[in-house]
Amino acid sequence: MENHTRKEGGKEAEKLTKNDSFIIEGIDIVRTFKMGEVEVRALRGVPVKIRRGEFVAIMGPSGSGKTTLLNQLGLLDTPNSGKIIINGMDTSGMSEKEKGKFRLHNLGYVFQDYALLPELNAIENVYLSLMMQGKSKKEYESSASDILNAVGLGDRLYQLPSKMSGGQQQRVSVARALAHKPLILFADEPCANLDSAASKQVLDLFKKFNENDGQTIVMVTHEDWHLEYVDRVINLMDGMLVEKNDVK
Amino acid sequence: MLEKAKVSLFLAARSISRGNKGITIFTIFVLTLIFVQLILFSSILAGVTVKFNELMVDYQTGNLVIEPEDEKRYIENTAALQKKIESLPEVLGTSARLKASGSFRYKEKDAGGTIYGIDPNDETFVTGLEGAMMSGEFLSKPDRGEVILGREVSGGFGALMDSKSLGGVEIGDTVEVTIQGNTKEFRVKGIYSTLFFLADSGAYISRADMEEMLGVRDGDLAHEISIKTTADTDEFEFRIKLLSLGIKENIRTWQEFAGILRLIQDVLGIVRNIMSAIGLLIAFVIIFVVIYVNIVNKKRQIGVQKAIGIEQNVIIASFVLQAMLYAGCGVIFGYLLMRYGIIPYTVVHPIRAPLGDVSLGFDQLEAINRAVLLFLASVVASVIPAYKLANKDLLELIWEK
């Protein structure tokens, strides 16, 4: 497998400063949702700092704002106020289109329910974002094949998601998230639908990419035993940090 | 740009090849039927037009008609002129006719119509009247005092305007015929029906009887000479050929007599356009619903695609491409069904219409026009729901049930 070092893609990425100590810097992130007449304050001014190469868990009880925070940091949602700086770039002024382009080149996602496209087989799911980046057929096929081999699915390249177990699908999802060598991998409860053996496989993969390639990972989880894999935990309660970030 | 198109095409191709086959087949089937419906009326109209034209040529005008020079009442030296025309290889026959408007009277009932004085032997080479006899017989050369009536004059035999006819004359009955004030009794020898109301509103008597009633003493005069040409002869080119022979009389093709037919065709054309507009609207709604249902079912997938950085335009284009493929297949299958199924079938098994057996015609230009319109309807009907959904908030797409 080729070495998965972080890389930049797109014009915006060229502006990024690689040597910043913090790859993510969230300043007073506020996110409120309207549910009918009621306003729910999901995040109430959360400050977050994550170093390059860190494996961070976001934890907290249900409704504490874990996924909401991940979505803000992963540019899947826009905070009502506050700033998110990724690799030195302030993302608060970005349009939806610019955010999409930034995600394509710099961020990777693993969702709780895998979120694979059912009409694409494993390798196609993985190389879709590489195709979108304009890579040649040879490049994207070889990259996708390499990363699928790295997650232990080299023999299932052409299998449709419907023919795979949950654990295998989640590994494809991990491969998809890492195929374009993102700056940061965001994972939203990636083991929630998996048994403990499959969960362990996924977390082992995360750890491997984190340790071997310095992959920055931000993961939402509610399982205490996952903590043995991460460097640090961000604890949330009612949309606020409950303890100081404890950097190892 | 090219890579975006490539991704759209890739997503569309996979969606079709690995998506729900039932939906794909159903959509293409519906679009096939819509395309058939869009061109069916045009085909019927084309078939009816062809039939009208055939009836006009076969039972009334022949392919060309020679009429007297301007300001002359008759064509002179008819026999010589006929001989000259018949010497041409394109000509199957000519019939010199005397004609006049006249009236008929039978048992207190009156009817009007055009009466032709003909040489029955010549006429059989030009029109198919002899084969259109519903009752009795066609005229023969030595006949005097005998008439054959069209069904619109005689009444009965499914006449369209029965109340304006003589109300059911039968063979052997005597009718009074009045032409230019001269009245004479004629025995009805036959009744014909061509199913072409203009031809069926006339009557035929022998030339000798007509000359007598018109007071014409010169037996070499005619009001018109009808010419029947071979099937592959172009009437307009043949007209030029006749003119080059030095014929001074007016030469007209049958098309110049088809004014009322054109009027009917124009009216049917308006009906066809209305039907097409309704058909397109139905097509638009169906495509919209099918694509919308398809897209709504893929809402989460669209959200995921957006999350991993697939551009909104690329996602929309993938759905539009699918719709275009559905429309393309519908057009191709519809075309094949019409061109090699329905139309050949109606040639072998014609539709029985009031004007006779009609086979559907195929208007290539019309089919292309309808195909383009259906294609455009598909594009618009897919862009709207695809844009509406792809434009939604990303998290809403992923998490909203």
Side-chain angles (χ1 to χ4, degrees), chain A residues 67 71 75-77 97 100-101 103-104 109 111-121 124-125 127-129 131-137 140 160 176 188, chain B residues 3-4 6-8 10-12 14-20 294 298 300-314 322 393-395 398-399:
Chain A
T67 298
N71 290 339
L75 306 190
L76 296 176
D77 195 13
K97 198 174 174 183
K101 207 166 180 185
R103 289 196 299 266
L104 175 70
Y109 304 89
F111 297 96
Q112 185 176 324
D113 60 353
Y114 334 129
L116 296 175
L117 302 179
E119 287 146 3
L120 306 186
N121 62 31
E124 289 166 346
N125 261 293
Y127 68 55
L128 181 62
S129 55
M131 259 182 111
M132 188 67 212
Q133 284 182 2
K135 296 264 192 297
S136 70
K137 190 169 191 271
Y140 63 66
L160 288 170
R176 177 179 66 184
D188 186 7
Chain B
E3 63 266 20
K4 288 180 189 172
K6 208 169 131 188
V7 176
S8 296
F10 172 74
L11 288 170
R14 290 297 178 273
S15 181
I16 289 166
S17 64
R18 299 203 187 122
N20 189 321
N294 190 14
K298 289 182 175 171
R300 188 163 153 70
Q301 287 183 49
I302 294 172
V304 172
Q305 286 175 28
K306 280 182 79 170
I308 64 171
I310 308 299
E311 277 183 30
Q312 194 172 309
N313 289 344
V314 171
Q322 284 180 62
D393 181 70
L394 198 158
L395 292 178
I398 295 181
W399 300 119

Coordinates of all heavy atoms in Angstrom, one line a residue, chain A residues 67 71 75-77 97 100-101 103-104 109 111-121 124-125 127-129 131-137 140 160 176 188, chain B residues 3-4 6-8 10-12 14-20 294 298 300-314 322 393-395 398-399:
Chain A
T67 N -22.7 15.0 17.7 CA -22.8 14.9 16.2 C -22.8 16.3 15.7 O -22.2 16.6 14.6 CB -24.0 14.1 15.8 OG1 -23.8 12.7 16.3 CG2 -24.1 14.0 14.3
N71 N -20.4 17.8 12.9 CA -20.9 18.3 11.6 C -20.3 19.7 11.4 O -20.1 20.1 10.2 CB -22.4 18.4 11.6 CG -23.0 17.0 11.5 OD1 -22.3 16.0 11.1 ND2 -24.2 16.8 11.9
L75 N -17.5 20.6 8.4 CA -18.1 21.5 7.3 C -19.4 20.9 6.7 O -19.7 21.2 5.5 CB -17.1 21.9 6.3 CG -15.8 22.5 6.7 CD1 -15.0 23.1 5.5 CD2 -16.0 23.7 7.7
L76 N -20.0 20.0 7.4 CA -21.3 19.5 6.9 C -22.4 20.4 7.3 O -23.5 20.3 6.7 CB -21.6 18.1 7.4 CG -20.6 17.0 7.0 CD1 -20.9 15.7 7.7 CD2 -20.5 16.8 5.5
D77 N -22.2 21.3 8.2 CA -23.2 22.2 8.7 C -22.5 23.6 8.9 O -21.3 23.6 9.0 CB -23.8 21.7 9.9 CG -25.1 22.4 10.3 OD1 -25.7 23.1 9.5 OD2 -25.6 22.1 11.4
K97 N -20.6 26.0 -2.2 CA -19.8 25.3 -3.3 C -18.4 25.2 -2.9 O -17.7 24.1 -3.1 CB -20.0 26.2 -4.5 CG -19.6 25.5 -5.8 CD -19.8 26.3 -7.0 CE -19.3 25.5 -8.2 NZ -19.4 26.2 -9.5
G100 N -18.0 22.4 -0.4 CA -18.1 21.1 -1.1 C -16.7 20.8 -1.7 O -16.2 19.7 -1.5
K101 N -16.1 21.8 -2.3 CA -14.8 21.5 -2.9 C -13.7 21.3 -1.8 O -12.9 20.4 -2.0 CB -14.4 22.8 -3.7 CG -13.5 22.5 -4.9 CD -13.4 23.6 -5.8 CE -12.4 23.3 -6.9 NZ -12.2 24.4 -7.8
R103 N -14.3 20.0 1.1 CA -14.5 18.6 1.6 C -14.0 17.6 0.7 O -13.4 16.6 1.1 CB -16.1 18.4 1.8 CG -16.7 19.1 2.9 CD -18.1 18.5 3.3 NE -19.0 18.6 2.2 CZ -19.9 19.6 2.0 NH1 -19.9 20.6 2.8 NH2 -20.7 19.6 0.9
L104 N -14.2 17.8 -0.6 CA -13.7 16.8 -1.6 C -12.2 16.6 -1.5 O -11.8 15.4 -1.6 CB -14.1 17.3 -3.0 CG -13.6 16.5 -4.2 CD1 -14.4 15.1 -4.3 CD2 -13.8 17.2 -5.5
Y109 N -15.1 11.3 5.6 CA -16.2 11.0 6.5 C -16.5 9.5 6.6 O -16.6 8.8 5.6 CB -17.5 11.7 6.1 CG -17.3 13.2 5.9 CD1 -16.9 13.7 4.7 CD2 -17.5 14.1 7.0 CE1 -16.7 15.1 4.5 CE2 -17.2 15.4 6.8 CZ -16.9 15.9 5.6 OH -16.6 17.2 5.4
F111 N -19.7 7.5 8.3 CA -21.0 7.6 8.9 C -21.4 6.4 9.7 O -20.9 5.3 9.4 CB -22.1 7.9 7.9 CG -21.9 9.2 7.2 CD1 -21.2 9.2 5.9 CD2 -22.3 10.4 7.7 CE1 -21.0 10.4 5.2 CE2 -22.0 11.6 7.0 CZ -21.4 11.6 5.8
Q112 N -22.3 6.6 10.7 CA -22.7 5.5 11.5 C -23.3 4.3 10.7 O -23.0 3.2 11.0 CB -23.8 6.1 12.4 CG -24.4 5.1 13.4 CD -25.4 5.9 14.3 OE1 -25.2 7.1 14.6 NE2 -26.4 5.2 14.7
D113 N -24.1 4.6 9.7 CA -24.7 3.6 8.9 C -24.0 3.4 7.6 O -24.7 3.0 6.6 CB -26.2 3.8 8.7 CG -26.4 5.1 8.0 OD1 -25.5 5.8 7.7 OD2 -27.6 5.4 7.6
Y114 N -22.8 3.6 7.5 CA -21.9 3.3 6.4 C -22.1 4.3 5.2 O -21.2 4.8 4.6 CB -22.0 1.9 5.8 CG -22.4 0.9 6.8 CD1 -23.4 0.0 6.6 CD2 -21.8 0.8 8.1 CE1 -23.8 -0.9 7.5 CE2 -22.2 -0.1 9.1 CZ -23.2 -1.0 8.8 OH -23.6 -1.9 9.7
A115 N -23.4 4.6 4.9 CA -23.8 5.5 3.8 C -23.0 5.3 2.5 O -22.6 6.2 1.8 CB -23.5 6.9 4.3
L116 N -23.0 4.0 2.1 CA -22.4 3.7 0.8 C -23.5 3.8 -0.2 O -24.7 3.7 0.1 CB -21.8 2.3 0.8 CG -20.7 2.0 1.8 CD1 -20.3 0.5 1.7 CD2 -19.5 2.8 1.4
L117 N -23.1 4.1 -1.5 CA -24.1 4.2 -2.5 C -24.4 2.8 -3.0 O -23.5 2.1 -3.5 CB -23.5 5.1 -3.7 CG -23.1 6.5 -3.3 CD1 -22.6 7.3 -4.4 CD2 -24.3 7.3 -2.6
P118 N -25.6 2.4 -2.8 CA -25.9 1.0 -3.1 C -25.7 0.5 -4.5 O -25.6 -0.7 -4.7 CB -27.4 0.9 -2.6 CG -27.9 2.2 -2.7 CD -26.8 3.1 -2.4
E119 N -25.8 1.4 -5.4 CA -25.6 1.0 -6.9 C -24.2 0.9 -7.3 O -23.9 0.6 -8.5 CB -26.4 2.0 -7.7 CG -27.9 1.8 -7.6 CD -28.7 3.1 -7.7 OE1 -28.1 4.1 -8.0 OE2 -29.9 3.0 -7.6
L120 N -23.3 1.3 -6.4 CA -21.8 1.2 -6.7 C -21.2 0.1 -5.9 O -21.5 -0.1 -4.8 CB -21.1 2.5 -6.4 CG -21.7 3.8 -7.0 CD1 -20.8 5.0 -6.7 CD2 -21.9 3.7 -8.5
N121 N -20.3 -0.6 -6.6 CA -19.6 -1.7 -5.8 C -18.5 -1.0 -5.0 O -18.3 0.2 -5.0 CB -19.0 -2.7 -6.8 CG -18.0 -2.2 -7.8 OD1 -17.3 -1.3 -7.5 ND2 -18.0 -2.8 -9.0
E124 N -15.9 1.2 -6.7 CA -16.5 2.4 -7.3 C -16.9 3.4 -6.2 O -16.8 4.6 -6.3 CB -17.8 2.0 -8.1 CG -17.5 1.3 -9.4 CD -18.7 0.6 -10.0 OE1 -19.7 0.4 -9.3 OE2 -18.5 0.2 -11.2
N125 N -17.4 2.9 -5.0 CA -17.7 3.8 -3.9 C -16.5 4.5 -3.5 O -16.5 5.7 -3.1 CB -18.3 2.9 -2.7 CG -19.8 3.0 -2.6 OD1 -20.4 4.0 -2.4 ND2 -20.4 1.8 -2.9
Y127 N -13.6 5.1 -5.3 CA -13.0 6.0 -6.2 C -13.9 7.1 -6.8 O -13.4 8.0 -7.5 CB -12.3 5.3 -7.4 CG -13.1 4.5 -8.4 CD1 -14.1 5.1 -9.2 CD2 -12.7 3.2 -8.7 CE1 -14.7 4.4 -10.1 CE2 -13.4 2.5 -9.7 CZ -14.4 3.1 -10.4 OH -15.0 2.4 -11.4
L128 N -15.1 7.2 -6.3 CA -16.0 8.2 -6.8 C -15.4 9.6 -6.5 O -15.4 10.5 -7.4 CB -17.4 8.1 -6.1 CG -18.4 9.1 -6.6 CD1 -18.7 9.0 -8.1 CD2 -19.7 8.9 -5.8
S129 N -15.0 9.9 -5.3 CA -14.4 11.2 -5.0 C -13.2 11.5 -5.8 O -12.9 12.6 -6.2 CB -14.3 11.4 -3.5 OG -13.4 10.4 -3.0
M131 N -12.6 10.3 -8.8 CA -13.0 10.7 -10.2 C -13.4 12.1 -10.2 O -13.1 12.9 -11.1 CB -14.3 9.9 -10.4 CG -14.2 8.7 -11.3 SD -15.8 7.9 -11.5 CE -16.0 8.3 -13.2
M132 N -14.1 12.5 -9.1 CA -14.6 13.9 -9.1 C -13.5 14.9 -9.0 O -13.6 16.0 -9.5 CB -15.5 14.1 -7.8 CG -16.3 15.4 -7.7 SD -17.5 15.6 -9.0 CE -17.4 17.3 -9.2
Q133 N -12.4 14.5 -8.4 CA -11.2 15.3 -8.4 C -10.5 15.4 -9.7 O -9.6 16.2 -9.9 CB -10.2 14.7 -7.4 CG -10.6 15.0 -5.9 CD -9.5 14.4 -5.0 OE1 -8.5 13.9 -5.4 NE2 -9.8 14.5 -3.7
G134 N -10.9 14.6 -10.7 CA -10.3 14.7 -12.0 C -9.1 13.8 -12.2 O -8.4 13.9 -13.2
K135 N -9.0 12.8 -11.3 CA -7.9 11.9 -11.5 C -8.1 11.0 -12.7 O -9.3 10.8 -13.1 CB -7.8 11.0 -10.3 CG -7.4 11.7 -9.0 CD -6.0 11.6 -8.7 CE -5.6 12.1 -7.3 NZ -5.9 13.5 -7.0
S136 N -7.0 10.4 -13.3 CA -7.2 9.6 -14.4 C -7.7 8.2 -14.0 O -7.6 7.9 -12.8 CB -5.8 9.3 -15.1 OG -5.0 8.5 -14.3
K137 N -8.3 7.4 -14.9 CA -8.9 6.1 -14.6 C -7.8 5.2 -13.9 O -8.1 4.6 -12.8 CB -9.4 5.5 -15.8 CG -10.2 4.2 -15.6 CD -10.9 3.8 -16.9 CE -11.9 2.7 -16.7 NZ -11.5 1.4 -16.7
Y140 N -7.2 6.6 -10.2 CA -8.2 6.4 -9.2 C -8.5 4.9 -9.0 O -8.8 4.5 -7.9 CB -9.5 7.2 -9.5 CG -10.3 6.9 -10.7 CD1 -11.0 5.7 -11.0 CD2 -10.5 7.9 -11.7 CE1 -11.8 5.5 -12.1 CE2 -11.3 7.7 -12.8 CZ -12.0 6.5 -13.0 OH -12.7 6.3 -14.1
L160 N -21.0 -5.6 -4.4 CA -22.0 -4.5 -4.0 C -22.2 -4.5 -2.5 O -22.1 -5.5 -1.9 CB -23.3 -4.7 -4.7 CG -23.3 -4.5 -6.2 CD1 -24.7 -5.0 -6.8 CD2 -23.1 -3.0 -6.6
R176 N -13.2 4.7 1.6 CA -13.7 5.8 0.8 C -13.2 7.1 1.5 O -12.8 8.0 0.8 CB -15.2 5.8 0.8 CG -15.8 7.0 0.0 CD -17.3 6.9 -0.1 NE -18.0 7.0 1.3 CZ -19.3 6.9 1.5 NH1 -20.1 6.7 0.4 NH2 -19.8 7.1 2.7
D188 N -18.6 9.5 12.6 CA -19.7 9.7 13.5 C -20.3 8.4 14.0 O -20.9 7.7 13.3 CB -20.8 10.5 12.8 CG -22.0 10.9 13.7 OD1 -21.9 10.6 14.9 OD2 -23.0 11.4 13.2
Chain B
E3 N -14.4 16.1 -16.4 CA -14.5 15.1 -15.3 C -15.8 15.1 -14.6 O -16.3 14.1 -14.2 CB -13.3 15.3 -14.3 CG -13.3 16.6 -13.6 CD -12.4 17.6 -14.3 OE1 -12.1 17.5 -15.5 OE2 -12.0 18.5 -13.6
K4 N -16.5 16.3 -14.6 CA -17.8 16.4 -14.0 C -18.8 15.6 -14.8 O -19.6 14.9 -14.3 CB -18.2 17.9 -13.9 CG -17.4 18.6 -12.8 CD -17.9 20.1 -12.8 CE -17.0 20.9 -11.9 NZ -17.3 22.3 -12.0
K6 N -18.2 13.2 -16.7 CA -17.8 11.8 -16.6 C -18.4 11.2 -15.3 O -19.0 10.1 -15.4 CB -16.3 11.7 -16.5 CG -15.7 10.4 -17.0 CD -14.2 10.6 -17.2 CE -13.5 9.4 -16.5 NZ -12.1 9.5 -16.4
V7 N -18.4 12.0 -14.2 CA -19.0 11.5 -13.0 C -20.5 11.4 -13.1 O -21.1 10.4 -12.7 CB -18.6 12.5 -11.8 CG1 -19.3 12.0 -10.5 CG2 -17.1 12.4 -11.6
S8 N -21.1 12.4 -13.7 CA -22.6 12.4 -13.9 C -22.9 11.1 -14.7 O -23.9 10.4 -14.4 CB -23.0 13.6 -14.7 OG -22.8 14.8 -13.9
F10 N -21.3 8.4 -15.1 CA -20.9 7.2 -14.4 C -22.1 6.9 -13.4 O -22.6 5.8 -13.3 CB -19.6 7.5 -13.6 CG -19.3 6.4 -12.6 CD1 -18.8 5.2 -13.0 CD2 -19.4 6.7 -11.2 CE1 -18.5 4.2 -12.1 CE2 -19.0 5.7 -10.3 CZ -18.6 4.5 -10.7
L11 N -22.5 8.0 -12.6 CA -23.6 7.8 -11.7 C -24.9 7.4 -12.4 O -25.6 6.5 -11.9 CB -23.8 9.1 -10.9 CG -22.7 9.4 -9.8 CD1 -22.9 10.8 -9.3 CD2 -22.7 8.4 -8.7
A12 N -25.2 8.0 -13.5 CA -26.4 7.7 -14.2 C -26.4 6.3 -14.7 O -27.3 5.5 -14.6 CB -26.6 8.7 -15.4
R14 N -24.6 3.7 -13.6 CA -24.7 2.7 -12.6 C -26.1 2.7 -12.0 O -26.6 1.6 -11.7 CB -23.7 3.1 -11.4 CG -22.3 2.9 -11.8 CD -22.0 1.4 -12.1 NE -20.6 1.2 -12.5 CZ -20.1 1.3 -13.7 NH1 -21.0 1.6 -14.7 NH2 -18.9 1.1 -14.0
S15 N -26.8 3.8 -11.9 CA -28.1 3.9 -11.4 C -29.1 3.1 -12.3 O -29.9 2.4 -11.8 CB -28.6 5.3 -11.3 OG -29.9 5.4 -10.8
I16 N -28.8 3.2 -13.6 CA -29.7 2.4 -14.5 C -29.4 1.0 -14.5 O -30.3 0.1 -14.4 CB -29.6 3.1 -15.9 CG1 -30.3 4.4 -15.9 CG2 -30.3 2.2 -17.0 CD1 -30.0 5.3 -17.1
S17 N -28.1 0.7 -14.6 CA -27.7 -0.7 -14.8 C -27.9 -1.5 -13.5 O -28.2 -2.7 -13.5 CB -26.3 -0.9 -15.3 OG -25.4 -0.3 -14.3
R18 N -27.7 -0.9 -12.3 CA -27.8 -1.6 -11.1 C -29.0 -1.2 -10.2 O -29.3 -1.7 -9.1 CB -26.6 -1.4 -10.2 CG -25.3 -2.0 -11.0 CD -24.2 -2.3 -10.0 NE -23.0 -2.6 -10.7 CZ -21.8 -2.0 -10.6 NH1 -21.7 -1.0 -9.8 NH2 -20.8 -2.4 -11.3
G19 N -29.8 -0.2 -10.7 CA -31.0 0.3 -9.9 C -32.1 -0.7 -10.1 O -32.0 -1.8 -10.7
N20 N -33.3 -0.2 -9.7 CA -34.5 -1.0 -9.8 C -34.9 -1.2 -11.3 O -35.3 -0.3 -12.0 CB -35.6 -0.3 -9.0 CG -36.8 -1.2 -8.9 OD1 -37.2 -1.9 -9.8 ND2 -37.4 -1.1 -7.7
N294 N -38.2 8.6 -7.9 CA -36.8 8.0 -8.0 C -35.8 8.9 -7.1 O -35.0 8.3 -6.3 CB -36.4 8.0 -9.5 CG -35.1 7.3 -9.7 OD1 -34.7 6.5 -8.8 ND2 -34.5 7.4 -10.9
K298 N -33.8 8.4 -3.3 CA -32.3 8.5 -3.2 C -31.9 9.8 -2.5 O -30.7 10.2 -2.7 CB -31.8 8.5 -4.7 CG -31.9 7.2 -5.3 CD -31.3 7.2 -6.7 CE -31.4 5.8 -7.3 NZ -31.0 5.8 -8.7
R300 N -31.1 10.3 0.6 CA -30.0 10.2 1.5 C -28.7 10.0 0.7 O -27.7 10.5 1.0 CB -30.2 8.9 2.4 CG -29.2 8.8 3.4 CD -29.6 7.8 4.5 NE -28.4 7.2 5.1 CZ -27.6 7.8 5.9 NH1 -27.7 9.1 6.2 NH2 -26.5 7.2 6.4
Q301 N -28.8 9.3 -0.5 CA -27.7 9.1 -1.3 C -27.2 10.4 -1.9 O -26.0 10.7 -2.0 CB -28.0 8.2 -2.5 CG -28.2 6.8 -2.2 CD -28.5 5.9 -3.4 OE1 -27.8 6.1 -4.4 NE2 -29.5 5.1 -3.4
I302 N -28.1 11.3 -2.2 CA -27.8 12.6 -2.7 C -27.0 13.4 -1.6 O -26.0 14.0 -1.8 CB -29.0 13.4 -3.1 CG1 -29.7 12.8 -4.4 CG2 -28.7 14.9 -3.5 CD1 -31.0 13.3 -4.8
G303 N -27.5 13.2 -0.4 CA -26.9 13.9 0.8 C -25.5 13.4 0.9 O -24.5 14.2 1.1
V304 N -25.3 12.1 0.9 CA -23.9 11.5 1.0 C -23.0 12.0 -0.1 O -21.9 12.3 0.1 CB -24.0 9.9 1.0 CG1 -22.6 9.3 1.0 CG2 -24.8 9.5 2.3
Q305 N -23.6 12.0 -1.3 CA -22.7 12.5 -2.5 C -22.3 13.9 -2.2 O -21.1 14.3 -2.5 CB -23.5 12.4 -3.7 CG -23.7 10.9 -4.3 CD -24.6 10.8 -5.5 OE1 -24.7 11.8 -6.2 NE2 -25.3 9.7 -5.6
K306 N -23.2 14.7 -1.7 CA -22.9 16.1 -1.5 C -21.8 16.2 -0.3 O -20.9 17.0 -0.4 CB -24.1 16.9 -1.0 CG -25.0 17.4 -2.2 CD -26.1 18.2 -1.8 CE -25.8 19.6 -1.5 NZ -27.0 20.5 -1.2
A307 N -22.0 15.3 0.7 CA -21.1 15.3 1.8 C -19.6 15.0 1.4 O -18.7 15.6 1.8 CB -21.5 14.3 2.9
I308 N -19.5 14.1 0.5 CA -18.1 13.7 0.1 C -17.6 14.6 -1.0 O -16.5 14.4 -1.5 CB -18.0 12.2 -0.4 CG1 -18.9 11.9 -1.6 CG2 -18.4 11.3 0.8 CD1 -18.6 10.5 -2.2
G309 N -18.4 15.6 -1.4 CA -17.8 16.6 -2.3 C -18.3 16.6 -3.7 O -17.7 17.3 -4.6
I310 N -19.3 15.7 -4.0 CA -19.8 15.7 -5.4 C -20.6 16.9 -5.6 O -21.5 17.2 -4.8 CB -20.6 14.4 -5.7 CG1 -19.9 13.1 -5.3 CG2 -21.1 14.3 -7.1 CD1 -18.6 12.9 -6.0
E311 N -20.3 17.7 -6.7 CA -21.0 18.9 -6.9 C -22.5 18.7 -7.2 O -22.8 17.8 -7.8 CB -20.3 19.7 -8.0 CG -19.1 20.5 -7.6 CD -18.5 21.3 -8.7 OE1 -19.2 21.7 -9.6 OE2 -17.3 21.4 -8.7
Q312 N -23.2 19.7 -6.7 CA -24.7 19.7 -6.9 C -25.0 19.5 -8.4 O -25.9 18.7 -8.8 CB -25.2 21.0 -6.4 CG -26.7 21.0 -6.2 CD -27.2 22.2 -5.5 OE1 -26.6 22.6 -4.5 NE2 -28.1 23.0 -6.1
N313 N -24.3 20.3 -9.3 CA -24.6 20.2 -10.7 C -24.4 18.8 -11.3 O -25.1 18.4 -12.2 CB -23.8 21.2 -11.5 CG -24.3 22.6 -11.2 OD1 -25.3 22.8 -10.7 ND2 -23.4 23.6 -11.5
V314 N -23.4 18.2 -10.7 CA -23.0 16.8 -11.2 C -24.2 15.9 -10.8 O -24.6 15.0 -11.6 CB -21.7 16.4 -10.6 CG1 -21.4 14.9 -10.9 CG2 -20.5 17.2 -11.1
Q322 N -30.2 10.3 -16.8 CA -31.1 9.1 -16.7 C -32.4 9.4 -17.4 O -32.9 8.5 -18.2 CB -31.4 8.8 -15.2 CG -30.3 8.2 -14.5 CD -30.6 7.9 -13.0 OE1 -31.5 7.2 -12.7 NE2 -29.9 8.6 -12.1
D393 N -30.6 21.4 2.1 CA -29.5 21.3 3.1 C -29.0 19.9 3.2 O -29.8 18.9 3.2 CB -30.1 21.8 4.4 CG -29.0 21.8 5.4 OD1 -28.1 22.6 5.3 OD2 -29.0 20.9 6.3
L394 N -27.7 19.8 3.2 CA -27.0 18.5 3.2 C -27.5 17.6 4.4 O -27.8 16.4 4.1 CB -25.5 18.8 3.4 CG -24.5 17.8 3.0 CD1 -23.2 18.5 2.7 CD2 -24.3 16.8 4.1
L395 N -27.5 18.1 5.6 CA -27.9 17.3 6.7 C -29.4 16.9 6.6 O -29.8 15.8 7.0 CB -27.6 18.0 8.0 CG -26.1 18.2 8.3 CD1 -25.9 19.0 9.6 CD2 -25.4 16.9 8.4
I398 N -29.5 13.9 4.4 CA -29.0 12.7 5.0 C -29.9 12.2 6.1 O -30.1 11.0 6.2 CB -27.6 12.9 5.6 CG1 -26.6 13.2 4.4 CG2 -27.1 11.7 6.3 CD1 -25.2 13.5 4.8
W399 N -30.4 13.1 7.0 CA -31.1 12.6 8.2 C -32.6 12.7 8.1 O -33.3 12.0 8.8 CB -30.6 13.4 9.4 CG -29.2 13.1 9.6 CD1 -28.2 14.1 9.6 CD2 -28.5 11.9 9.8 NE1 -27.0 13.5 9.8 CE2 -27.1 12.1 9.9 CE3 -28.9 10.5 9.9 CZ2 -26.2 11.2 10.1 CZ3 -28.0 9.6 10.1 CH2 -26.6 9.9 10.2

